[in-house]
Amino acid sequence: MSAARAARPRAAAASPPSVHAPVPGAAPANAPLVAPAPGAVPANPPAPAKTPRAALRALTGALLLAACAPGPRPATTGAGPRPSPDEERFVSALVGKMTLEEKIGQLTQSPAWGGADVPMNDSVAAEVRAGRVGSFLGIPWPQRQRELQRTVMEESRLKIPLMFAHDVIHGFRTIFPVPLAEAASWDPDMVQRDARIAADEATASGIHWTFAPMVDIARDPRWGRIVEGSGEDPFLGSVMAAARVRGFQGPGLGTDSTMMATAKHFVAYGAAEGGRDYNTADISERTLREVYLPPFHAAVRAGVASVMPSFNEIAGVPMHANAGLIDGVLRREWGWDGIVVSDWGGVQELIAHGVATGPEHAAMLGILSGVDVDMASGTYRAGLPDAVRSGRVPMAVVDQSVRRVLRAKYRLGLFRDPFRYLDPDREDRRARPTPAHRAAARQAARQSIVLLKNDGGTLPLAKDVGTLAVIGALATDARSALGSWAAVGRESETVTVLDGIREAVSRRTRVLAADGVPLDKDDDSGIPEAVRVARRADAVVLVLGETAEMSGEAHSRSTLDLPGRQLELARAVVATGRPVVVVLMNGRPLAIPWLAANVPAILETWFLGTETGHAVADVLFGDYNPTGKLPITFPRAVGQVPIYYAHKNTGRPPVDAERYTSKYLDLPSTPLYPFGYGLSYTAFAYDSVRVGAERIGPTDSVVVSVDVRNRGDRPGRELVQLYIQDEVASVTRPVKELRGFRRTGVLLPDQRERVAFTLHPDDLAFTDAAGRRVVEPGFFKVFLGGSSADVRQARFEVVAAAAGTTKKK
Ligand code: NOJ
């Protein structure tokens, strides 16, 4: 036990404050985490208050959040360390010179007005000249940015440089796998490197600020934006969030290839009812704190420079007016002081939500809740002047937001050199898919592929298989291969599945192709031709799934079935009796029970980006032995949704033979493929789990380990996953919670490796009913294995420190 006893500082006693702790001068104890919706603007607004929270309370009488750390507001900022004295002097002097209109300009982000070839028009030029815009989004074209920056630097009064923002989500010109796919790699170092490359290319094209990473936990695959996140699990999601922030921002905002990152969408956007985009989320504070907030907290700890609120409301409060969560949790409890940038039109939408009477009211709610920058709606421009003049919004609140924007510009070095991101030579060398960038994209793509099924060693295919049929419209669809946020990625630079296969096979192999059926309509006229092609082949690669446009923003679906007549196509091709390998391309888990039962081999390839075809061929022909594991559960049918591994036990866990237990009449309660699942061309055996100590104190750590052996006949690597369960606690706990993962080295046949993890007190802690983060005495299960549903387990006990007695059995 001694080796395992290295206690960490973050033990129970030092853990975060209770969510019910009183905030001096703010909300009363036991106020809810989610503040009630602010009411209408009172007829006689009270005198301006000093802070946004006080102002909002004074105006609305709303209860604010009590979940903040007591004491002074911490002075760290998301964008880096405390502001330096020079920076503060500079920013203060500048703010002192600004008119209200110029201040609101800094809080206004304008959208692009046209394409790369459309020069700035007169009205845009006039806005820029007047200092009515602080940043632009969606202009990834250096020649247009130069025009704008020149106008502001030569023709505006205060010459405050513009920032250019863009959605650089999974690559800029070199496109990496979509985030859900990269999460399947379970490789944060790789994810960080890919974000770094994206930042390198984007900053060489003038971009200062990306709206990524999207860190929304999502457990409903109907929701189209599931493709943009890291899946269902807060632990994995937090690791990936931090990795992407580090990657985008690099060594610090002062370096030449750094790009401000944005953790979005704050918060619980993925909990939209019915999986319908933009819909209401109504969830408990516990779920918010245990599931949806952790990846944001991880991004904040990694120094994220900005955060974007989400379009949804939570318990009646739209997030763009949610002072409790933005000003309360994000700023006060977590001590973060970066820029909160609204989502597109999010401030204006407070009117449609029904909490604001018009632009002035919406602007007031937005800025008083902590939203610094208004993206695209012009609501701050329209509403803030009157709100400030009438005293409803104190000037100090506007100044605080302006300071955040100016600090970011200062840290990016734009006051020193407004054109530092616009160096044509750098653009030429770096804003393109260099061989090194492509090699990284290929590696990322192969690591993101998950082998779902491989009966009888169907895969890998031999490169000299004879005649190979490649069937399916997606096999040649470069646009879909690029995925949902392709930035300036080009189809012409993308390797499709068919291209990749053609390049990989030996000269003796003939590749035949057929489109099969379209994905967006009920048209089965291509099936006979596909069957003819399949009959002439020795093996068939059948590419099925969704186009890239079927997931992403505003692209929710009510079913998880293969769209169009693809299932009929699959049945017809399988009926030929040829060996069939299904290659799935999709942005969400699909319900594929028929394929799972009837096709011998299935690869999940998501949308893999620029190097799609090479990576798919690497895996199909065995040049790469798959290592990916699902970051999200695959249901059997949409009716099981939401289905996730970290569920609660209920009082009546499902038992097949017992009627009154928690299950369906017409489906098993288990998923088709569980979280963490993924096969290899070899197989691994797990020995018993070892636990370093049978009993530990609540501030102790414990080492758990397992021996993993390659029991197959090829070299391979396994991703070992560590889960825990608090068996009995004062509030219900999930049946399993991921607490670690580690990849073995390459194991040769019969080779074994011991994989060890240290569980720290924080890994065992949860928030109790009184809002304290605690490790409760009692038994814990620890599970180690290659998937959430295939584990070996052991137990240990946490005993109360002093008495050495246990509270529970
Ligand atoms: C709306 C999306 O919700 C958000 O994720 C994105 O960053 C903005 N549009 C800007 O494109």
Side-chain angles (χ1 to χ4, degrees), residues 137 167 211 225 264-265 308 311 343-344 375 485 553:
L137 85 152
D167 286 287
F211 301 128
R225 302 200 78 170
K264 69 185 190 186
H265 307 82
M308 181 188 289
F311 286 126
D343 202 345
W344 183 292
M375 180 197 287
W485 281 105
E553 186 180 350

